[in-house]
Amino acid sequence: MADPMKIRAQMKGDTAEIRVLMSHPMETGQRKDNAGNLVPAHYIQSITIDVAGKRVIQGQTATSVSRNPVFGFRVKGAKAGDKVVINWVDNKGDKRTDEATIAA
């Protein structure tokens, strides 16, 4: 199982700024190890983000995203205290869900 995501969510005016670091190897499947063998592809395929029970982002990623990716986004209409739930699923079927609360 992957390490927990680091989520920072804070209100800036009437908008919530949310940043998340996802600990994941994000292997492209094109890199070779020290023995010259290809390292199998292993990357996050889909991400969903819910704020206060509403889906605000649903997206797909591919091999072009770097290791331990950081994503940032802004959500209008959120309030301090709302819960942010972030999910990802990778190409091997591994899943991770973490949540945070939006700070004032």
Coordinates of all heavy atoms in Angstrom, one line a residue:
M1 N 0.8 -1.2 0.0 CA 0.0 0.0 0.0 C 0.9 1.2 0.0 O 1.9 1.3 0.6 CB -0.9 0.0 1.2 CG -1.7 1.3 1.4 SD -3.0 1.2 2.6 CE -4.3 0.6 1.7
A2 N 0.5 2.2 -0.7 CA 1.2 3.5 -0.8 C 1.2 4.3 0.4 O 0.3 4.1 1.3 CB 0.7 4.3 -2.0
D3 N 2.1 5.2 0.6 CA 2.2 6.1 1.7 C 1.0 7.0 1.6 O 0.5 7.3 0.6 CB 3.4 6.9 1.7 CG 4.7 6.0 2.0 OD1 4.5 5.0 2.6 OD2 5.8 6.4 1.6
P4 N 0.6 7.6 2.8 CA -0.6 8.5 2.8 C -0.2 9.8 2.0 O 0.9 10.2 1.9 CB -0.7 8.9 4.3 CG 0.0 7.8 5.0 CD 1.0 7.3 4.1
M5 N -1.3 10.3 1.4 CA -1.1 11.6 0.6 C -0.9 12.7 1.6 O -1.5 12.7 2.7 CB -2.3 11.8 -0.3 CG -2.5 10.9 -1.4 SD -3.9 11.3 -2.4 CE -5.0 10.0 -1.8
K6 N -0.2 13.7 1.2 CA -0.1 14.9 2.0 C -1.0 16.0 1.4 O -0.9 16.3 0.2 CB 1.3 15.5 2.0 CG 2.2 14.5 2.8 CD 3.6 15.1 2.8 CE 4.6 14.1 3.5 NZ 5.9 14.5 3.5
I7 N -2.0 16.4 2.1 CA -3.1 17.3 1.6 C -3.0 18.6 2.4 O -3.1 18.5 3.6 CB -4.5 16.6 1.7 CG1 -4.5 15.3 1.0 CG2 -5.5 17.6 1.2 CD1 -5.7 14.5 1.2
R8 N -3.0 19.7 1.7 CA -3.1 21.0 2.3 C -4.3 21.7 1.7 O -4.4 21.9 0.5 CB -1.9 21.8 2.1 CG -1.9 23.1 2.8 CD -0.8 24.1 2.6 NE 0.5 23.3 2.5 CZ 1.6 23.9 1.9 NH1 1.6 25.1 1.5 NH2 2.7 23.2 1.9
A9 N -5.3 22.1 2.5 CA -6.5 22.8 2.1 C -6.7 24.0 2.9 O -6.9 23.9 4.1 CB -7.7 21.8 2.1
Q10 N -6.8 25.1 2.3 CA -6.9 26.4 3.0 C -7.8 27.4 2.2 O -7.7 27.5 1.0 CB -5.6 27.0 3.3 CG -5.6 28.2 4.2 CD -4.2 28.5 4.7 OE1 -3.2 28.2 4.0 NE2 -4.1 29.3 5.7
M11 N -8.6 28.1 3.0 CA -9.4 29.1 2.3 C -8.6 30.4 2.0 O -7.8 30.8 2.8 CB -10.6 29.6 3.3 CG -11.7 28.5 3.5 SD -12.5 27.9 2.0 CE -13.2 29.5 1.4
K12 N -8.8 30.9 0.8 CA -8.1 32.2 0.4 C -9.3 33.0 -0.2 O -9.7 32.7 -1.3 CB -7.1 31.9 -0.7 CG -5.9 31.1 -0.2 CD -4.8 31.9 0.3 CE -3.7 31.0 0.8 NZ -2.4 31.5 0.7
G13 N -9.8 33.9 0.6 CA -11.0 34.6 0.2 C -12.2 33.7 0.1 O -12.5 33.0 1.0
D14 N -12.9 33.7 -1.1 CA -14.0 32.8 -1.2 C -13.7 31.5 -1.9 O -14.6 30.8 -2.4 CB -15.2 33.5 -2.0 CG -14.8 33.9 -3.4 OD1 -13.6 33.9 -3.7 OD2 -15.7 34.2 -4.2
T15 N -12.4 31.2 -2.1 CA -11.9 30.1 -2.8 C -11.1 29.2 -1.9 O -10.2 29.7 -1.1 CB -11.1 30.5 -4.0 OG1 -11.9 31.4 -4.8 CG2 -10.6 29.3 -4.8
A16 N -11.2 27.9 -2.0 CA -10.4 26.9 -1.3 C -9.2 26.6 -2.2 O -9.4 26.1 -3.3 CB -11.2 25.7 -0.9
E17 N -8.0 26.7 -1.7 CA -6.8 26.3 -2.4 C -6.4 24.9 -1.8 O -6.1 24.8 -0.6 CB -5.7 27.3 -2.3 CG -5.9 28.5 -3.1 CD -4.7 29.4 -3.1 OE1 -3.6 29.0 -2.6 OE2 -4.8 30.5 -3.8
I18 N -6.3 23.9 -2.7 CA -6.0 22.6 -2.2 C -4.8 22.1 -3.0 O -4.8 22.2 -4.2 CB -7.3 21.6 -2.5 CG1 -8.5 22.2 -1.7 CG2 -6.9 20.2 -2.1 CD1 -9.8 21.5 -2.0
R19 N -3.8 21.5 -2.2 CA -2.6 21.0 -2.8 C -2.5 19.6 -2.3 O -2.7 19.3 -1.1 CB -1.4 21.8 -2.5 CG -1.4 23.1 -3.2 CD -0.2 23.9 -2.9 NE 1.1 23.3 -3.2 CZ 1.8 23.3 -4.3 NH1 1.3 24.0 -5.3 NH2 2.9 22.6 -4.4
V20 N -2.1 18.6 -3.1 CA -1.9 17.2 -2.7 C -0.7 16.7 -3.3 O -0.4 16.8 -4.4 CB -3.2 16.4 -3.0 CG1 -3.5 16.4 -4.5 CG2 -3.0 15.0 -2.5
L21 N 0.1 16.0 -2.4 CA 1.3 15.2 -2.9 C 0.9 13.7 -2.7 O 0.6 13.3 -1.7 CB 2.5 15.5 -2.0 CG 3.8 14.9 -2.4 CD1 5.0 15.8 -2.0 CD2 4.0 13.5 -1.8
M22 N 1.0 13.0 -3.9 CA 0.7 11.6 -3.9 C 2.0 10.8 -4.0 O 2.7 11.0 -5.0 CB -0.2 11.3 -5.1 CG -1.5 12.1 -5.1 SD -2.4 11.8 -6.6 CE -3.9 12.8 -6.3
S23 N 2.3 10.0 -3.0 CA 3.5 9.2 -3.0 C 3.2 8.0 -3.9 O 2.4 7.1 -3.6 CB 3.8 8.8 -1.6 OG 4.1 9.9 -0.8
H24 N 3.9 8.0 -5.0 CA 3.7 6.9 -6.0 C 5.0 6.9 -6.9 O 5.5 7.9 -7.3 CB 2.5 7.1 -6.8 CG 2.0 5.9 -7.5 ND1 2.6 5.5 -8.7 CD2 1.1 5.0 -7.2 CE1 2.0 4.4 -9.1 NE2 1.1 4.0 -8.2
P25 N 5.4 5.7 -7.3 CA 6.6 5.6 -8.1 C 6.5 6.1 -9.5 O 7.4 6.6 -10.2 CB 7.0 4.1 -8.2 CG 5.7 3.4 -7.8 CD 5.0 4.3 -6.9
M26 N 5.3 6.1 -10.1 CA 5.0 6.6 -11.4 C 6.0 6.1 -12.5 O 6.6 6.9 -13.2 CB 4.9 8.1 -11.4 CG 3.8 8.6 -10.5 SD 2.1 8.1 -11.0 CE 1.8 9.1 -12.4
E27 N 6.2 4.8 -12.6 CA 7.1 4.2 -13.5 C 6.5 4.2 -14.9 O 5.3 3.8 -15.1 CB 7.5 2.8 -13.1 CG 8.4 2.7 -12.0 CD 9.8 3.1 -12.3 OE1 10.2 3.3 -13.5 OE2 10.6 3.3 -11.3
T28 N 7.2 4.6 -15.9 CA 6.7 4.7 -17.3 C 6.7 3.4 -18.0 O 6.0 3.2 -19.0 CB 7.5 5.6 -18.1 OG1 8.9 5.1 -18.3 CG2 7.6 7.0 -17.5
G29 N 7.5 2.4 -17.6 CA 7.6 1.1 -18.3 C 8.7 1.2 -19.4 O 8.9 0.2 -20.1
Q30 N 9.4 2.3 -19.4 CA 10.5 2.5 -20.4 C 11.8 2.5 -19.8 O 12.8 2.5 -20.5 CB 10.2 3.8 -21.2 CG 8.9 3.7 -22.0 CD 8.7 5.0 -22.7 OE1 9.4 6.0 -22.5 NE2 7.6 5.0 -23.5
R31 N 11.9 2.6 -18.5 CA 13.2 2.7 -17.8 C 13.7 1.3 -17.5 O 13.0 0.3 -17.4 CB 13.0 3.4 -16.4 CG 14.3 3.7 -15.7 CD 14.0 4.5 -14.4 NE 13.2 3.8 -13.4 CZ 13.8 2.9 -12.5 NH1 15.1 2.8 -12.5 NH2 13.0 2.3 -11.6
K32 N 15.1 1.2 -17.6 CA 15.7 -0.1 -17.3 C 16.4 -0.1 -16.0 O 16.9 0.9 -15.5 CB 16.7 -0.4 -18.4 CG 16.1 -0.7 -19.8 CD 17.2 -1.0 -20.8 CE 16.5 -1.3 -22.1 NZ 17.4 -1.6 -23.2
D33 N 16.4 -1.3 -15.3 CA 17.1 -1.4 -14.0 C 18.6 -1.6 -14.3 O 19.0 -1.6 -15.4 CB 16.5 -2.5 -13.1 CG 16.6 -3.9 -13.8 OD1 17.3 -4.0 -14.7 OD2 15.9 -4.8 -13.3
N34 N 19.3 -1.8 -13.2 CA 20.8 -2.0 -13.3 C 21.2 -3.2 -14.1 O 22.3 -3.3 -14.7 CB 21.4 -2.0 -11.9 CG 21.3 -0.7 -11.2 OD1 21.2 0.3 -11.8 ND2 21.4 -0.7 -9.9
A35 N 20.3 -4.2 -14.2 CA 20.6 -5.4 -14.9 C 20.2 -5.3 -16.4 O 20.3 -6.2 -17.2 CB 19.9 -6.6 -14.3
G36 N 19.6 -4.2 -16.8 CA 19.2 -4.0 -18.2 C 17.8 -4.4 -18.5 O 17.3 -4.4 -19.6
N37 N 17.0 -4.8 -17.5 CA 15.6 -5.3 -17.7 C 14.7 -4.1 -17.5 O 14.9 -3.2 -16.7 CB 15.3 -6.3 -16.6 CG 16.1 -7.5 -16.7 OD1 16.4 -8.0 -17.7 ND2 16.6 -8.0 -15.5
L38 N 13.6 -4.1 -18.3 CA 12.6 -3.0 -18.3 C 11.9 -3.1 -16.9 O 11.5 -4.1 -16.5 CB 11.6 -3.1 -19.4 CG 12.1 -2.6 -20.8 CD1 11.0 -2.9 -21.8 CD2 12.4 -1.2 -20.8
V39 N 11.7 -1.9 -16.3 CA 10.9 -1.8 -15.1 C 9.5 -1.7 -15.5 O 9.2 -0.8 -16.3 CB 11.3 -0.6 -14.3 CG1 10.5 -0.4 -13.0 CG2 12.8 -0.7 -13.9
P40 N 8.6 -2.6 -15.1 CA 7.2 -2.6 -15.5 C 6.5 -1.2 -15.2 O 6.8 -0.6 -14.2 CB 6.5 -3.7 -14.7 CG 7.6 -4.5 -14.1 CD 8.8 -3.6 -14.1
A41 N 5.6 -0.8 -16.1 CA 4.8 0.4 -15.9 C 4.0 0.3 -14.6 O 3.5 -0.8 -14.3 CB 3.9 0.6 -17.1
H42 N 4.0 1.4 -13.8 CA 3.3 1.4 -12.6 C 3.0 2.9 -12.4 O 3.8 3.7 -11.9 CB 4.1 0.8 -11.4 CG 3.3 0.7 -10.2 ND1 3.9 0.6 -9.0 CD2 2.0 0.7 -9.9 CE1 3.0 0.5 -8.0 NE2 1.8 0.6 -8.6
Y43 N 1.7 3.3 -12.6 CA 1.4 4.7 -12.6 C -0.1 4.9 -12.2 O -0.9 4.0 -12.4 CB 1.7 5.4 -13.9 CG 1.0 4.8 -15.1 CD1 -0.3 5.2 -15.5 CD2 1.5 3.7 -15.8 CE1 -0.9 4.7 -16.6 CE2 0.9 3.1 -16.8 CZ -0.3 3.6 -17.2 OH -1.0 3.0 -18.3
I44 N -0.4 6.1 -11.7 CA -1.7 6.4 -11.3 C -2.5 6.7 -12.6 O -2.1 7.4 -13.4 CB -1.8 7.7 -10.4 CG1 -1.1 7.4 -9.0 CG2 -3.2 8.2 -10.2 CD1 -0.9 8.6 -8.2
Q45 N -3.7 6.0 -12.6 CA -4.5 6.1 -13.8 C -5.7 7.1 -13.6 O -6.1 7.8 -14.6 CB -5.1 4.8 -14.2 CG -4.2 3.9 -14.9 CD -4.8 2.6 -15.4 OE1 -5.6 2.0 -14.7 NE2 -4.6 2.3 -16.7
S46 N -6.3 7.1 -12.5 CA -7.4 8.0 -12.3 C -7.4 8.6 -10.9 O -6.9 8.0 -9.9 CB -8.7 7.2 -12.5 OG -8.9 6.3 -11.5
I47 N -7.9 9.8 -10.9 CA -8.0 10.6 -9.6 C -9.4 11.2 -9.5 O -9.9 11.7 -10.5 CB -7.0 11.8 -9.7 CG1 -5.5 11.2 -9.8 CG2 -7.1 12.6 -8.4 CD1 -4.5 12.3 -10.2
T48 N -9.9 11.1 -8.3 CA -11.2 11.8 -8.0 C -11.0 12.7 -6.8 O -10.3 12.2 -5.8 CB -12.4 10.9 -7.9 OG1 -12.1 10.0 -6.8 CG2 -12.6 10.1 -9.1
I49 N -11.6 13.8 -6.7 CA -11.6 14.7 -5.6 C -13.0 15.2 -5.3 O -13.7 15.7 -6.2 CB -10.7 15.9 -5.9 CG1 -9.2 15.3 -6.2 CG2 -10.6 16.8 -4.7 CD1 -8.3 16.4 -6.7
D50 N -13.4 14.9 -4.0 CA -14.7 15.4 -3.6 C -14.5 16.4 -2.5 O -13.7 16.3 -1.6 CB -15.5 14.2 -3.0 CG -15.8 13.1 -4.0 OD1 -15.8 13.5 -5.2 OD2 -16.1 12.0 -3.6
V51 N -15.3 17.5 -2.5 CA -15.3 18.5 -1.5 C -16.7 18.6 -0.9 O -17.6 18.9 -1.7 CB -14.8 19.9 -2.0 CG1 -14.9 20.9 -0.9 CG2 -13.4 19.7 -2.5
A52 N -16.9 18.4 0.4 CA -18.2 18.5 1.0 C -19.2 17.6 0.4 O -20.3 17.9 0.2 CB -18.7 19.9 1.1
G53 N -18.7 16.4 0.0 CA -19.6 15.4 -0.6 C -19.9 15.6 -2.1 O -20.6 14.8 -2.7
K54 N -19.4 16.6 -2.7 CA -19.6 16.9 -4.2 C -18.3 16.6 -4.9 O -17.2 17.0 -4.5 CB -20.0 18.3 -4.4 CG -21.3 18.7 -3.9 CD -21.7 20.1 -4.3 CE -23.0 20.5 -3.7 NZ -23.3 21.9 -4.0
R55 N -18.5 15.9 -6.0 CA -17.3 15.6 -6.9 C -16.9 16.9 -7.6 O -17.7 17.5 -8.3 CB -17.7 14.5 -7.9 CG -16.6 14.2 -8.9 CD -15.9 12.9 -8.8 NE -15.9 12.2 -7.6 CZ -16.2 10.8 -7.5 NH1 -16.4 10.2 -8.6 NH2 -16.2 10.2 -6.4
V56 N -15.7 17.3 -7.4 CA -15.2 18.5 -8.1 C -14.2 18.3 -9.1 O -14.0 19.1 -10.1 CB -14.6 19.6 -7.0 CG1 -15.8 20.1 -6.1 CG2 -13.5 19.0 -6.2
I57 N -13.5 17.1 -9.1 CA -12.5 16.7 -10.1 C -12.6 15.2 -10.3 O -12.6 14.5 -9.3 CB -11.1 17.2 -9.7 CG1 -11.0 18.7 -9.7 CG2 -10.1 16.6 -10.6 CD1 -9.6 19.2 -9.3
Q58 N -12.6 14.8 -11.6 CA -12.5 13.4 -11.9 C -11.6 13.4 -13.2 O -11.9 14.0 -14.2 CB -13.8 12.8 -12.3 CG -13.7 11.4 -12.6 CD -15.1 10.7 -12.7 OE1 -16.1 11.3 -12.4 NE2 -15.1 9.5 -13.1
G59 N -10.4 12.9 -13.0 CA -9.5 12.9 -14.1 C -8.7 11.7 -14.3 O -8.7 10.8 -13.5
Q60 N -8.0 11.6 -15.5 CA -7.1 10.5 -15.9 C -5.7 11.1 -16.0 O -5.5 12.2 -16.4 CB -7.5 10.0 -17.2 CG -9.0 9.6 -17.3 CD -9.3 8.3 -16.6 OE1 -8.5 7.4 -16.7 NE2 -10.3 8.2 -15.9
T61 N -4.7 10.2 -15.6 CA -3.3 10.6 -15.8 C -2.7 9.4 -16.5 O -3.3 8.3 -16.7 CB -2.6 10.8 -14.5 OG1 -2.6 9.7 -13.7 CG2 -3.2 12.0 -13.7
A62 N -1.4 9.6 -16.9 CA -0.7 8.6 -17.7 C 0.7 8.6 -17.3 O 1.1 9.2 -16.3 CB -0.9 8.8 -19.2
T63 N 1.6 8.0 -18.1 CA 3.0 7.8 -17.7 C 3.8 9.1 -17.7 O 4.9 9.1 -17.3 CB 3.6 6.8 -18.7 OG1 3.5 7.3 -20.0 CG2 3.0 5.4 -18.6
S64 N 3.3 10.2 -18.3 CA 4.0 11.4 -18.4 C 4.1 12.2 -17.1 O 4.8 13.2 -17.0 CB 3.5 12.3 -19.5 OG 2.1 12.6 -19.2
V65 N 3.5 11.7 -16.0 CA 3.5 12.4 -14.8 C 4.6 11.9 -13.9 O 4.9 10.7 -13.9 CB 2.1 12.2 -14.0 CG1 2.1 12.9 -12.7 CG2 1.0 12.7 -14.9
S66 N 5.3 12.9 -13.3 CA 6.6 12.5 -12.5 C 6.3 11.7 -11.3 O 5.1 11.7 -10.8 CB 7.3 13.8 -12.2 OG 6.6 14.5 -11.2
R67 N 7.3 11.1 -10.7 CA 7.2 10.4 -9.4 C 6.7 11.4 -8.3 O 7.0 12.5 -8.3 CB 8.6 9.9 -9.0 CG 8.6 9.2 -7.7 CD 10.0 8.8 -7.3 NE 10.7 8.1 -8.4 CZ 11.8 7.4 -8.3 NH1 12.4 7.3 -7.1 NH2 12.3 6.8 -9.3
N68 N 5.9 10.8 -7.4 CA 5.4 11.6 -6.3 C 4.7 12.9 -6.8 O 5.2 14.0 -6.4 CB 6.4 11.8 -5.2 CG 6.9 10.6 -4.6 OD1 6.2 9.6 -4.6 ND2 8.2 10.6 -4.3
P69 N 3.7 12.8 -7.7 CA 3.2 14.0 -8.3 C 2.5 14.9 -7.2 O 1.9 14.5 -6.2 CB 2.2 13.5 -9.3 CG 1.8 12.2 -8.8 CD 3.0 11.6 -8.1
V70 N 2.5 16.2 -7.5 CA 1.8 17.2 -6.7 C 0.8 17.9 -7.6 O 1.1 18.3 -8.7 CB 2.8 18.3 -6.2 CG1 2.1 19.4 -5.4 CG2 3.9 17.6 -5.3
F71 N -0.4 17.9 -7.2 CA -1.5 18.6 -7.9 C -2.1 19.7 -7.0 O -2.1 19.6 -5.8 CB -2.6 17.6 -8.2 CG -2.2 16.5 -9.2 CD1 -1.9 15.2 -8.7 CD2 -2.1 16.7 -10.5 CE1 -1.5 14.2 -9.5 CE2 -1.8 15.7 -11.4 CZ -1.4 14.5 -10.9
G72 N -2.4 20.8 -7.7 CA -3.0 21.9 -7.0 C -4.3 22.4 -7.7 O -4.3 22.3 -8.9
F73 N -5.3 22.8 -7.0 CA -6.5 23.3 -7.6 C -7.2 24.2 -6.7 O -7.0 24.2 -5.5 CB -7.4 22.1 -8.1 CG -7.7 21.1 -7.0 CD1 -8.9 21.3 -6.3 CD2 -6.8 20.1 -6.8 CE1 -9.1 20.4 -5.3 CE2 -7.1 19.2 -5.8 CZ -8.3 19.3 -5.0
R74 N -8.2 25.0 -7.2 CA -9.0 25.9 -6.5 C -10.4 25.5 -6.6 O -10.9 25.2 -7.7 CB -8.7 27.3 -6.9 CG -7.3 27.8 -6.7 CD -7.1 29.1 -7.2 NE -5.7 29.5 -7.0 CZ -5.1 30.4 -7.6 NH1 -5.7 31.1 -8.5 NH2 -3.8 30.7 -7.3
V75 N -11.2 25.6 -5.5 CA -12.6 25.3 -5.6 C -13.4 26.5 -5.0 O -13.2 26.9 -3.9 CB -12.9 24.0 -4.7 CG1 -14.4 23.7 -4.7 CG2 -12.1 22.9 -5.2
K76 N -14.3 27.0 -5.8 CA -15.2 28.1 -5.3 C -16.4 27.5 -4.7 O -16.8 26.4 -5.0 CB -15.7 28.9 -6.5 CG -14.7 30.0 -7.0 CD -15.3 30.9 -7.9 CE -14.3 32.1 -8.2 NZ -14.9 33.1 -9.0
G77 N -16.9 28.1 -3.7 CA -18.1 27.7 -3.0 C -17.8 26.8 -1.8 O -18.7 26.4 -1.1
A78 N -16.5 26.4 -1.6 CA -16.2 25.6 -0.4 C -16.1 26.5 0.8 O -16.0 27.7 0.7 CB -14.9 24.9 -0.6
K79 N -16.2 25.9 2.0 CA -16.2 26.6 3.2 C -15.1 26.0 4.2 O -14.9 24.8 4.0 CB -17.5 26.6 3.9 CG -18.7 27.2 3.1 CD -20.0 27.1 3.9 CE -20.3 25.6 3.9 NZ -21.7 25.2 4.1
A80 N -14.6 26.8 5.1 CA -13.7 26.2 6.1 C -14.5 25.2 6.9 O -15.7 25.3 7.2 CB -13.3 27.3 7.0
G81 N -13.8 24.0 7.1 CA -14.4 22.9 7.8 C -15.0 21.9 6.8 O -15.3 20.7 7.3
D82 N -15.1 22.2 5.5 CA -15.6 21.2 4.6 C -14.5 20.1 4.5 O -13.3 20.3 4.6 CB -15.8 21.8 3.2 CG -17.1 22.6 3.1 OD1 -17.9 22.5 4.1 OD2 -17.3 23.2 2.1
K83 N -15.0 18.8 4.2 CA -14.1 17.7 4.1 C -13.7 17.5 2.6 O -14.5 17.6 1.7 CB -14.7 16.4 4.6 CG -13.8 15.2 4.7 CD -14.4 14.1 5.5 CE -15.6 13.5 4.9 NZ -16.0 12.3 5.6
V84 N -12.4 17.3 2.4 CA -11.8 17.0 1.1 C -11.4 15.5 1.1 O -10.6 15.1 1.9 CB -10.6 17.9 0.8 CG1 -10.0 17.5 -0.5 CG2 -10.9 19.4 0.9
V85 N -11.9 14.8 0.1 CA -11.6 13.4 0.0 C -11.0 13.2 -1.4 O -11.6 13.5 -2.4 CB -12.9 12.5 0.1 CG1 -12.5 11.0 0.0 CG2 -13.6 12.7 1.5
I86 N -9.8 12.6 -1.4 CA -9.0 12.4 -2.6 C -8.8 10.9 -2.8 O -8.3 10.2 -1.9 CB -7.7 13.2 -2.6 CG1 -8.0 14.7 -2.4 CG2 -6.9 12.9 -3.9 CD1 -6.8 15.6 -2.3
N87 N -9.1 10.4 -4.0 CA -8.8 9.0 -4.3 C -8.0 8.9 -5.6 O -8.1 9.7 -6.5 CB -10.2 8.3 -4.7 CG -11.2 8.3 -3.6 OD1 -11.0 7.6 -2.6 ND2 -12.2 9.1 -3.7
W88 N -7.1 7.8 -5.6 CA -6.5 7.5 -6.8 C -6.5 6.0 -7.0 O -6.6 5.2 -6.1 CB -5.1 8.1 -7.0 CG -4.0 7.7 -6.0 CD1 -3.5 8.5 -5.0 CD2 -3.3 6.4 -5.8 NE1 -2.6 7.9 -4.3 CE2 -2.4 6.6 -4.8 CE3 -3.4 5.2 -6.5 CZ2 -1.6 5.6 -4.3 CZ3 -2.5 4.2 -6.0 CH2 -1.7 4.4 -5.0
V89 N -6.4 5.5 -8.3 CA -6.3 4.1 -8.6 C -5.2 4.0 -9.7 O -5.1 4.8 -10.6 CB -7.6 3.6 -9.3 CG1 -7.5 2.1 -9.7 CG2 -8.8 3.8 -8.3
D90 N -4.3 3.0 -9.5 CA -3.2 2.9 -10.5 C -3.5 1.7 -11.4 O -4.4 1.0 -11.3 CB -1.8 2.9 -9.8 CG -1.6 1.6 -9.0 OD1 -2.3 0.6 -9.2 OD2 -0.7 1.6 -8.1
N91 N -2.5 1.6 -12.3 CA -2.7 0.5 -13.4 C -2.6 -0.9 -12.9 O -2.9 -1.8 -13.6 CB -1.7 0.8 -14.5 CG -0.3 0.6 -14.1 OD1 0.1 1.0 -13.0 ND2 0.5 0.0 -15.0
K92 N -2.1 -1.1 -11.6 CA -2.0 -2.4 -11.0 C -3.2 -2.7 -10.1 O -3.3 -3.7 -9.4 CB -0.7 -2.6 -10.3 CG 0.5 -2.6 -11.2 CD 1.7 -2.9 -10.4 CE 2.9 -3.0 -11.4 NZ 4.2 -3.3 -10.7
G93 N -4.2 -1.7 -10.1 CA -5.3 -1.9 -9.2 C -5.2 -1.4 -7.8 O -6.2 -1.5 -7.0
D94 N -4.0 -0.9 -7.4 CA -3.9 -0.4 -6.1 C -4.7 0.9 -6.0 O -4.8 1.6 -7.0 CB -2.4 -0.1 -5.8 CG -1.5 -1.3 -5.7 OD1 -2.1 -2.4 -5.4 OD2 -0.3 -1.2 -6.0
K95 N -5.2 1.2 -4.8 CA -6.0 2.3 -4.5 C -5.6 3.0 -3.3 O -5.0 2.4 -2.4 CB -7.5 1.9 -4.3 CG -8.1 1.2 -5.5 CD -9.5 0.7 -5.2 CE -10.0 0.0 -6.4 NZ -11.4 -0.6 -6.1
R96 N -5.8 4.3 -3.2 CA -5.5 5.0 -2.0 C -6.6 6.1 -1.8 O -7.0 6.8 -2.8 CB -4.1 5.7 -2.1 CG -3.7 6.5 -0.9 CD -3.1 5.6 0.1 NE -3.3 6.3 1.4 CZ -2.9 5.8 2.6 NH1 -2.3 4.7 2.6 NH2 -3.1 6.5 3.7
T97 N -7.1 6.3 -0.6 CA -8.0 7.4 -0.3 C -7.5 8.1 1.0 O -7.2 7.4 1.9 CB -9.4 6.8 0.0 OG1 -9.9 6.1 -1.2 CG2 -10.4 7.9 0.3
D98 N -7.5 9.4 0.9 CA -7.1 10.2 2.1 C -8.0 11.4 2.1 O -8.6 11.8 1.1 CB -5.7 10.6 2.0 CG -4.7 9.5 2.3 OD1 -4.8 8.9 3.4 OD2 -4.0 9.1 1.4
E99 N -8.2 12.0 3.3 CA -9.0 13.1 3.4 C -8.4 14.2 4.4 O -7.5 13.9 5.2 CB -10.4 12.7 3.9 CG -10.4 12.0 5.2 CD -11.8 11.5 5.6 OE1 -12.4 10.7 4.8 OE2 -12.3 11.8 6.7
A100 N -8.9 15.4 4.2 CA -8.4 16.5 5.0 C -9.6 17.5 5.2 O -10.6 17.3 4.5 CB -7.3 17.2 4.4
T101 N -9.4 18.4 6.1 CA -10.5 19.4 6.3 C -9.9 20.8 5.9 O -8.7 21.1 6.1 CB -10.8 19.5 7.8 OG1 -11.3 18.2 8.2 CG2 -11.9 20.5 8.1
I102 N -10.7 21.6 5.2 CA -10.3 22.9 4.8 C -10.2 23.8 6.0 O -11.1 24.0 6.7 CB -11.3 23.4 3.7 CG1 -11.4 22.5 2.5 CG2 -10.9 24.9 3.3 CD1 -12.5 22.9 1.5
A103 N -9.0 24.4 6.1 CA -8.7 25.3 7.2 C -9.1 26.7 6.8 O -9.2 27.1 5.6 CB -7.2 25.3 7.5
A104 N -9.4 27.5 7.8 CA -9.8 28.9 7.6 C -8.7 29.8 7.1 O -7.6 29.5 7.2 CB -10.4 29.5 8.9

